[in-house]
Amino acid sequence: QQSSMGSISKDVPRTKEFEFSGSIGAIGIMFGLPLVIFFLYFVCNADYCFPSDGHMSFPSLSELISLEAFLVYLAWFGSMIALHYLLPGPMEDGLVLRDGKTRLKYKLNGFATFIVSISFVGLGTFFGIIPVTYIYDHFLQLVFAVLIFAYLFSTFLYVKSRVEDKGIAPLGNTGRVIYDFFIGHQLNPRIGSSLDLKFFCELRPGLILWVVINFAMAMKQYEIYGSVTNSMILVNLFQFVYVADALWNERAVLTTMDITTDGFGFMLVFGDLAWVPFTYTTQARYLVHHPLHLSTLAVVGIILLKVVGMSIFRLANSQKVECLVDVV
């Protein structure tokens, strides 16, 4: 086998079909989507939402770079890894790999990690140990820190995949460095026997951080106004339920295309670690300085709609998982 960074693995057929228009599209996404996160912040903040005069103020690069914010995120990511190893959880077989016989094992303790994490943050905030509103006050610096981490982590994954040259993703074996870096060259990169990096990132650091950021926005609203609006409570509650449901049904993720087919490259790293927590929290961040008080009728109607929608979502996904498991 060739060993250069741009070689292809002979154990997996060479990838001939490109998604996202190949390397050009990959470059556009890698640098375009991070700008979308910043755009969402600048276009709607404490001063305005979609300024009528089209004028927006932007910070300097030096204001975005914060070693403290980077260390805060490293501490968060590290704590997720620590909880993965420390908390108990059953070992579950994944779906059969392309060799027709191998099943990787996954440690399922995501829900326990979720409960411990949010309990720690909640109690720490209550007793004044954790200044959770730091997230709101340093939102841009945290976004920038996570983006830098995503690029560095993706580089580590790509180099690791080339050095090991095993477990190659069928969709990321083109031999083109930029495209394989983006789509993911290795299917299931692991550290040790239990820490599957893709499975870990799919549900832990970003998804749980989404709930923590929402909570931080609610606390910031309380800090400013002395109360939390029912709309903010609903946003926190609904998205909390969604994340809790995902982690409670963690086994279902093993049947998704992300785990079974896609390589673990920048595309999934960025989506899991940056896009989810920093764009899905836009509603809560908006409500911090634009409080909305819903009528009782509106609250009841929204809750009923949520219950119906979530029920359909869960039933449909449960059926999909049962079907896939039965097939394999």
Side-chain angles (χ1 to χ4, degrees):
Q1 296 183 3
Q2 301 176 40
S3 60
S4 66
M5 287 291 110
S7 64
I8 61 171
S9 172
K10 295 180 180 178
D11 294 333
V12 176
R14 180 167 188 168
T15 306
K16 297 180 179 180
E17 295 184 3
F18 293 82
E19 299 179 358
F20 308 105
S21 300
S23 299
I24 298 299
I27 292 173
I29 293 173
M30 284 193 289
F31 294 100
L33 283 186
L35 293 178
V36 173
I37 300 179
F38 287 114
F39 172 78
L40 290 174
Y41 177 87
F42 292 126
V43 80
C44 192
N45 52 49
D47 300 319
Y48 51 73
C49 266
F50 292 98
S52 57
D53 59 2
H55 175 73
M56 292 184 289
S57 57
F58 300 96
S60 62
L61 183 61
S62 61
E63 293 177 287
L64 291 177
I65 300 174
S66 169
L67 178 60
E68 181 183 69
F70 190 76
L71 293 176
V72 166
Y73 185 72
L74 283 182
W76 170 258
F77 195 88
S79 70
M80 293 293 102
I81 293 178
L83 290 175
H84 166 81
Y85 284 110
L86 293 174
L87 296 177
M91 298 299 292
E92 182 77 20
D93 288 335
L95 298 185
V96 178
L97 297 181
R98 65 186 308 275
D99 64 6
K101 58 182 179 179
T102 305
R103 288 178 182 264
L104 297 177
K105 289 189 175 296
Y106 298 84
K107 186 177 183 180
L108 306 186
N109 63 355
F111 190 76
T113 299
F114 177 57
I115 296 301
V116 170
S117 301
I118 61 173
S119 297
F120 180 79
V121 172
L123 291 172
T125 301
F126 180 79
F127 290 108
I129 301 173
I130 299 177
V132 73
T133 53
Y134 174 93
I135 295 174
Y136 177 88
D137 297 333
H138 298 83
F139 192 83
L140 280 179
Q141 289 86 353
L142 286 169
V143 169
F144 193 80
V146 176
L147 289 175
I148 295 300
F149 181 85
Y151 286 113
L152 293 175
F153 188 42
S154 299
T155 301
F156 162 76
L157 291 171
Y158 183 76
V159 173
K160 180 178 183 295
S161 71
R162 290 300 183 183
V163 171
E164 295 181 353
D165 198 27
K166 63 180 181 180
I168 304 304
L171 301 180
N173 192 35
T174 66
R176 299 185 182 183
V177 174
I178 293 176
Y179 184 82
D180 290 348
F181 171 87
F182 169 74
I183 212 75
H185 186 57
Q186 200 167 24
L187 185 62
N188 304 107
R190 292 188 159 217
I191 295 179
S193 60
S194 71
L195 182 57
D196 186 287
L197 294 172
K198 182 169 61 170
F199 181 68
F200 169 78
C201 289
E202 190 81 8
L203 289 177
R204 314 297 177 84
L207 211 64
I208 298 175
L209 183 58
W210 174 11
V211 172
V212 172
I213 293 176
N214 276 348
F215 176 65
M217 299 305 158
M219 290 300 96
K220 188 65 180 183
Q221 189 184 71
Y222 180 82
E223 179 183 290
I224 296 171
Y225 298 103
S227 62
V228 178
T229 60
N230 54 11
S231 58
M232 178 70 86
I233 292 173
L234 288 179
V235 166
N236 271 260
L237 175 62
F238 292 164
Q239 297 184 355
F240 176 95
V241 168
Y242 177 86
V243 172
D245 173 81
L247 289 160
W248 179 261
N249 294 282
E250 186 177 20
R251 174 175 172 269
V253 178
L254 298 177
T255 66
T256 62
M257 182 177 177
D258 284 0
I259 300 299
T260 63
T261 307
D262 291 335
F264 193 39
F266 181 83
M267 179 179 70
L268 288 182
V269 170
F270 168 77
D272 292 340
L273 304 185
W275 185 262
V276 168
F278 292 105
T279 63
Y280 290 14
T281 52
T282 300
Q283 303 96 316
R285 187 172 60 80
Y286 166 82
L287 290 171
V288 170
H289 288 284
H290 304 85
L292 176 63
H293 299 274
L294 299 168
S295 67
T296 301
L297 182 61
V299 170
V300 171
I302 291 171
I303 291 176
L304 289 175
L305 183 62
K306 171 66 177 181
V307 170
V308 172
M310 192 67 193
S311 298
I312 295 172
F313 169 80
R314 175 43 46 210
L315 288 171
N317 275 276
S318 296
Q319 289 179 3
K320 182 195 73 172
V321 173
E322 290 175 7
C323 177
L324 288 172
V325 171
D326 288 342
V327 168
V328 297

